[in-house]
């Protein structure tokens, strides 16, 4: 047996090709000023100043506990600080967090460090401090640059605040910005969607995450649904938006992600390529491969911030699940089929530990039906496969 690789006898159905993929770190900061009516994330509106220092201290304890697993002690390709609204945290807290992470782990020389931010003067004032702390990529939740649409989404900023946030980010030295923008909004017309996207492109971000508004269960918007565009119009808006982004020089690399050449988000790409990631913070999820033992495990941390902060250091995990062979196949497909450029046969084998023969028949049928195309050892969804992504993935379940 070679280091980092597990082999078994011929005919054994257990994982035999497993290799440890790249590793990222996800950090969850759960508070926001006000919870948006469409949001089903683990976020909590503040009624007083969050315990910033205590929470950062707990995050670093969480990371220490996570690193007890030998498989977690690998260099970090990326760090993603998500929420909630991470830009509620002062620069001193983000500095303490990233200093602590650097002390406990090894970062690759070009480690991508992303922080999610919402527009607003109070947030933008902190951008320079985040940059000094080592954050090198901002993801700004613009969602729309139309006053009416922002009001319907329950957002607390206006278009001027969004533009000011981008300007502040550039002034602070950020040369890698993502803007989140929604389409298929209540009563949105094709002309309105195009104008909204034009306004976002005028801000010249390196990436645009362009995604459809959906009504998630147990949200206020789902309980009292607005009038949304019908399915045909949604498809037209998605196609038109993709063409508009392409004409502006962006390339779609994932279902909802469009980036300038060379500026795709490495952290998210690692998700879609079935890579590993540590998860720290209230409700954070992680995936970790122990190639020597032939195991892939998923973990989740205690979800509510109060419970997470109060738990004993050794009791932060709320669930742990080892992935069986069928789990590996379905989860790989669920992620990799989102990639516009597809994936290599070797990626499936190395990240799942399973031989290609386990999915060869499914792949052949999807190719025959025009949902996938295969060239040598490279597999990618066709335009039809991207349009019917749920059907494509369901074949692997």
């Amino acid at each position: 047996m070679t280091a980092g690789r597990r082999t078994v006898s011929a005919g054994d159905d257990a994982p035999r090709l497993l290799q440890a993929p790249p590793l990222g770190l996800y950090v969850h900061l759960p508070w926001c000023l006000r919870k948006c009516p469409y949001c089903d994330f683990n976020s909590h509106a503040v009624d007083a100043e969050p315990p910033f220092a205590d929470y950062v201290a707990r995050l670093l304890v969480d990371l220490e506990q996570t690193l007890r697993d030998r498989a977690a002690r690998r260099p970090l390709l990326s760090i993603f600080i998500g929420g909630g609204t991470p830009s509620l945290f002062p620069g001193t807290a983000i500095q303490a967090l990233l200093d602590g992470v650097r002390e406990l782990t090894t970062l690759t020389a070009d480690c991508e460090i992303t922080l999610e931010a919402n527009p607003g003067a109070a947030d933008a004032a902190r951008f320079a401090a985040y940059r000094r702390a080592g954050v090198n990529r901002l993801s700004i939740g613009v969602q729309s640059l139309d006053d009416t649409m922002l009001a319907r989404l329950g957002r607390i900023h206006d278009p001027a605040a969004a533009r000011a946030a981008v300007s502040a980010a550039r002034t602070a030295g950020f040369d890698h910005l993502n803007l989140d923008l929604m389409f298929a909004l209540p009563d949105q017309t094709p002309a309105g969607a195009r104008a909204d996207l034009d306004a976002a492109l005028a801000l010249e971000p390196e990436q645009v995450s362009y995604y459809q508004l959906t009504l998630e269960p147990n949200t206020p918007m789902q309980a009292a649904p607005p009038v949304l565009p019908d399915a045909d119009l949604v498809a037209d808006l998605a196609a038109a938006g993709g063409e508009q982004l392409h004409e502006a020089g962006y390339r779609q690399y994932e279902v909802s992600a469009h980036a300038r050449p060379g500026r795709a988000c490495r952290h998210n790409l690692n998700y879609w390529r079935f890579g590993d990631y540590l998860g720290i913070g209230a409700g954070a999820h992680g995936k970790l491969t122990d190639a020597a033992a032939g195991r892939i495990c998923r973990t989740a941390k205690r979800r509510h911030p109060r419970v997470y902060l109060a738990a004993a250091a050794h009791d932060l995990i709320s669930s742990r699940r080892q992935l069986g062979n069928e789990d590996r196949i379905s989860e790989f497909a669920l992620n990799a089929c989102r990639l516009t450029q597809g994936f290599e046969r070797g990626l499936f084998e190395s990240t799942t530990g399973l031989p290609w023969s386990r999915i060869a028949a499914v792949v052949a049928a999807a190719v025959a039906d025009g949902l996938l195309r295969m060239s040598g050892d490279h597999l990618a969804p066709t335009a039809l496969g991207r349009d019917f992504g749920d059907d494509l993935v369901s074949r692997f379940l």
Side-chain angles (χ1 to χ4, degrees):
M1 181 187 298
T2 58
R5 189 174 182 122
R6 179 174 180 262
T7 60
V8 298
S9 61
D12 189 338
D13 196 40
R16 53 180 172 170
L17 304 165
L18 193 62
Q19 298 178 42
L23 181 68
L25 170 66
Y26 175 74
V27 184
H28 192 69
L29 307 187
W31 292 286
C32 51
L33 287 177
R34 187 174 74 194
K35 194 168 177 73
C36 297
Y38 55 83
C39 177
D40 70 338
F41 293 164
N42 181 28
S43 58
H44 303 263
V46 296
D47 51 12
E49 182 173 279
F52 297 123
D54 289 347
Y55 192 77
V56 168
R58 174 42 56 104
L59 288 170
L60 295 176
V61 169
D62 190 350
L63 182 57
E64 285 182 312
Q65 294 292 314
T66 300
L67 293 171
R68 291 173 180 264
D69 189 321
R70 64 182 181 185
R73 297 192 288 272
R74 290 183 268 140
L76 296 178
L77 167 86
S78 61
I79 300 170
F80 196 101
I81 305 171
T85 304
S87 52
L88 284 179
F89 277 60
T92 52
I94 300 301
Q95 182 79 59
L97 168 65
L98 292 177
D99 285 348
V101 171
R102 293 185 190 98
E103 289 179 8
L104 294 169
T105 67
T106 299
L107 275 58
T108 59
D110 59 349
C111 183
E112 176 190 85
I113 305 177
T114 300
L115 183 139
E116 290 184 333
N118 278 341
D123 295 344
R126 300 188 173 111
F127 288 174
Y130 300 152
R131 189 70 190 90
R132 290 192 298 271
V135 177
N136 52 32
R137 182 176 181 272
L138 280 182
S139 181
I140 302 178
V142 171
Q143 313 309 353
S144 177
L145 286 157
D146 180 290
D147 274 310
T148 300
M149 294 301 167
L150 286 171
R152 289 175 179 172
L153 290 171
R155 302 292 291 181
I156 61 174
H157 70 273
D158 60 19
R163 294 184 175 92
V166 171
S167 177
R170 296 303 194 193
T171 300
F174 284 98
D175 63 0
H176 196 173
L177 295 182
N178 171 71
L179 298 184
D180 285 344
L181 196 75
M182 290 182 172
F183 70 93
L185 304 180
D187 297 319
Q188 189 174 49
T189 64
R194 182 173 186 85
D196 215 5
L197 187 49
D198 274 338
L201 293 175
L203 299 174
E204 300 186 333
E206 282 66 44
Q207 177 175 307
V208 176
S209 295
Y210 194 56
Y211 58 100
Q212 176 189 350
L213 171 64
T214 55
L215 302 182
E216 301 294 347
N218 303 315
T219 60
M221 190 169 279
Q222 192 267 343
V227 177
L228 297 179
D230 63 29
D232 288 341
L233 180 53
V234 169
D236 290 344
L237 293 175
E243 183 177 347
Q244 191 175 346
L245 284 156
H246 190 84
E247 290 173 351
Y250 295 82
R251 297 296 175 261
Q252 184 178 18
Y253 67 90
E254 184 267 335
V255 170
S256 60
H258 305 253
R260 295 190 184 280
R263 307 313 293 270
C265 177
R266 274 182 261 158
H267 187 86
N268 287 343
L269 270 175
N270 193 41
Y271 285 154
W272 310 139
R273 291 177 63 83
F274 207 43
D276 281 355
Y277 49 97
L278 313 178
I280 61 173
H285 289 248
K287 170 187 171 282
L288 195 58
T289 300
D290 186 335
R295 287 196 302 264
I296 304 175
C297 288
R298 286 199 177 276
T299 55
K301 301 299 171 60
R302 300 202 174 277
R303 182 175 175 83
H304 198 282
R306 285 197 302 270
V307 176
Y308 175 78
L309 283 164
H314 65 274
D315 194 30
L316 294 173
I317 294 177
S318 62
S319 68
R320 185 192 304 272
R321 180 171 63 92
Q322 186 168 322
L323 300 187
N325 292 347
E326 299 304 324
D327 293 327
R328 298 179 191 203
I329 292 170
S330 60
E331 292 196 18
F332 178 90
L334 187 65
N335 287 281
C337 287
R338 295 178 64 97
L339 292 168
T340 305
Q341 297 302 315
F343 58 92
E344 311 79 30
R345 171 175 171 160
L347 183 71
F348 171 80
E349 294 180 331
S350 66
T351 58
T352 66
L354 300 170
W356 186 256
S357 58
R358 289 298 302 268
I359 62 169
V362 175
V363 167
V367 169
D369 291 341
L371 299 175
L372 291 173
R373 65 177 181 274
M374 193 156 191
S375 176
D377 284 342
H378 189 86
L379 192 69
T382 62
L384 183 67
R386 292 194 297 272
D387 288 343
F388 293 91
D390 289 345
D391 178 69
L392 174 59
V393 170
S394 71
R395 295 171 177 234
F396 293 88
L397 299 185

